[in-house]
Amino acid sequence: LSPVCLGSLRRAASINAEYMDASPAGGKNKKRKQKETETAEEKKDVETAGSPAKKKRRRNPRKKFAKWKEVNNTKTVYVQNLPTDPDFTLEEFARFMSTCGVLQKDTKTDKERVKLYRNKDGSLKGDGLVSYFYDESAQMALRLKDGSMIREHKISVQMAKFQKKGEYKPPKMASLTKAERRVEHEKFNALRQQRCPFLRIVILKGMFTLEEAGAHPEGTAKFYETLKGEISDEMKRSVGPFKKVTVFNEHPEGPVAVKFRRFEDSQKCIEVMNGRFFSGRKIVCDYWDGVTNYTIEEDSQSQNVDEELDEIRRDGIKGDGDG
């Protein structure tokens, strides 16, 4: 291009630039850029004049265990006034308390969680702890074992209360392999399937009197049959499904046994029936203790239930499922 053409192009470009700056759009863009520049400079000045930025601290994963936590105990009982004989062992203590339910086991040692407190010289103090697998077993221990006798010692049973003692040190978490975790899971499931058989059988006392049975116009057999039907209907209406109802004929306390498939239903039966009135008498409803035999007359019904209770007492757990 000639010098004349180059000069003309430069003048046209400068005129176009002046026109764009003078236009409304060009003026807005120019003002916006100025504001952004001023804002960025102000922020930089504030950061420079202010305190230096704080470094982020890493969270301590063990810090959440530093405080003592209140434990809502529902499965461990504290037993007092136990024998202090040197030959009184953990096995005997565990066997005595296990009649109320399945005991917890340590996942590492596979031993039952039972403890006898000792003095510094190794002698027994006379108190101990027992941990059950189910809450209902601990409640049953409070009912049946509190005030009972062991080696001529009247023991006291109450729920254990755990209190802070010294500085809390978080336990070291043991690392398990995949195979070990699978074995522990299988152990847990197997223990969960167990059910204390005594918790599925309840005894209702005061359901009849010998005078009522003898005064029935159609005889005592018809009286007990009618009574069994009335109790069965009441169980279906107030509690739910059950497995068997047994009336112990000719017993002066008027007991009736009701067996459920699940111990949750037996617990509901006690809540509903205990303290109610039947024919003007106050009913006493509680778990069967696993020992008492209510059979008086050796009829077929009472004989069958007596054999069933003996089987449960002998085997510990009856494998008929939880329905």
Side-chain angles (χ1 to χ4, degrees):
L1 295 174
S2 64
V4 177
C5 294
L6 289 174
S8 301
L9 289 174
R10 288 193 186 98
R11 283 196 299 272
S14 62
I15 293 171
N16 189 24
E18 292 176 359
Y19 172 76
M20 292 298 293
D21 291 339
S23 63
K28 289 182 180 179
N29 292 334
K30 189 174 182 180
K31 290 181 180 179
R32 184 167 62 249
K33 289 181 181 179
Q34 290 178 353
K35 287 183 180 180
E36 290 177 356
T37 305
E38 292 175 358
T39 305
E41 290 178 355
E42 290 177 359
K43 286 184 179 180
K44 189 174 181 180
D45 294 340
V46 171
E47 290 179 358
T48 305
S51 59
K54 294 182 179 180
K55 295 182 180 180
K56 291 185 178 180
R57 295 182 179 180
R58 293 183 61 186
R59 292 184 178 180
N60 186 0
R62 301 173 68 89
K63 189 175 181 180
K64 61 181 180 180
F65 297 104
K67 295 182 179 180
W68 174 265
K69 295 182 179 180
E70 295 294 335
V71 180
N72 185 18
N73 171 46
T74 58
K75 300 179 180 180
T76 303
V77 296
Y78 177 62
V79 186
Q80 294 177 290
N81 198 29
L82 290 168
T84 57
D85 304 332
D87 58 342
F88 185 68
T89 61
L90 277 174
E91 290 74 13
E92 182 179 354
F93 181 43
R95 187 168 56 252
F96 177 77
M97 300 299 295
S98 63
T99 57
C100 296
V102 180
L103 303 182
Q104 286 188 18
K105 288 189 177 182
D106 189 274
T107 56
K108 285 293 184 182
T109 62
D110 201 32
K111 293 183 179 180
E112 295 172 333
R113 298 188 63 181
V114 181
K115 181 177 181 180
L116 289 174
Y117 290 98
R118 296 179 178 273
N119 297 310
K120 292 183 179 180
D121 57 358
S123 60
L124 294 174
K125 286 185 176 182
D127 54 351
L129 285 177
V130 180
S131 295
Y132 289 96
F133 195 77
Y134 298 105
D135 300 351
E136 294 82 1
S137 300
Q139 295 299 323
M140 190 174 184
L142 296 180
R143 295 184 182 184
L144 300 182
K145 296 302 182 181
D146 187 28
S148 61
M149 303 294 293
I150 177 173
R151 289 196 181 189
E152 299 182 356
H153 286 255
K154 187 176 181 180
I155 64 174
S156 172
V157 181
Q158 57 185 335
M159 296 303 297
K161 297 180 181 180
F162 298 99
Q163 298 177 350
K164 182 179 178 181
K165 184 179 180 181
E167 293 296 328
Y168 176 74
K169 296 181 180 180
K172 294 183 179 179
M173 303 300 292
S175 58
L176 300 178
T177 63
K178 186 176 181 180
E180 289 175 337
R181 289 196 299 269
R182 183 171 64 252
V183 171
E184 296 299 332
H185 182 68
E186 292 176 355
K187 286 182 180 180
F188 175 79
N189 287 337
L191 187 60
R192 189 172 184 177
Q193 295 300 324
Q194 297 181 4
R195 293 289 191 264
C196 182
F198 310 151
L199 297 179
R200 296 206 305 263
I201 301 175
V202 299
I203 303 295
L204 296 91
K205 296 181 181 179
M207 299 301 297
F208 64 89
T209 63
L210 300 180
E211 291 77 11
E212 289 179 344
H216 196 275
E218 299 183 18
T220 57
K222 184 64 175 177
F223 170 79
Y224 292 125
E225 182 181 353
T226 304
L227 178 64
K228 180 179 178 180
E230 293 177 356
I231 296 175
S232 300
D233 295 339
E234 181 63 23
M235 288 295 148
K236 292 179 182 178
R237 185 181 65 84
S238 301
V239 180
F242 61 93
K243 187 175 181 181
K244 192 174 185 180
V245 173
T246 303
V247 180
F248 293 95
N249 303 351
E250 305 300 328
H251 198 288
E253 295 183 1
V256 175
V258 183
K259 183 177 181 180
F260 296 89
R261 293 187 179 275
R262 305 185 309 160
F263 64 79
E264 291 87 351
D265 295 332
S266 63
Q267 182 182 10
K268 182 179 178 182
C269 178
I270 293 176
E271 294 174 356
V272 172
M273 301 301 294
N274 189 38
R276 288 183 58 176
F277 284 86
F278 182 77
S279 297
R281 295 180 301 274
K282 189 176 182 179
I283 301 174
V284 177
C285 182
D286 203 350
Y287 295 109
W288 177 53
D289 58 9
V291 179
T292 306
N293 183 5
Y294 295 95
T295 304
I296 298 296
E297 181 182 350
E298 294 297 334
D299 61 331
S300 59
Q301 183 185 25
S302 299
Q303 181 66 25
N304 291 338
V305 116
D306 188 30
E307 294 175 356
E308 184 178 357
L309 299 184
D310 287 340
E311 182 180 355
I312 293 175
R313 187 187 301 111
R314 182 176 61 255
D315 296 339
I317 295 177
K318 188 173 180 62
D320 52 5
D322 295 327

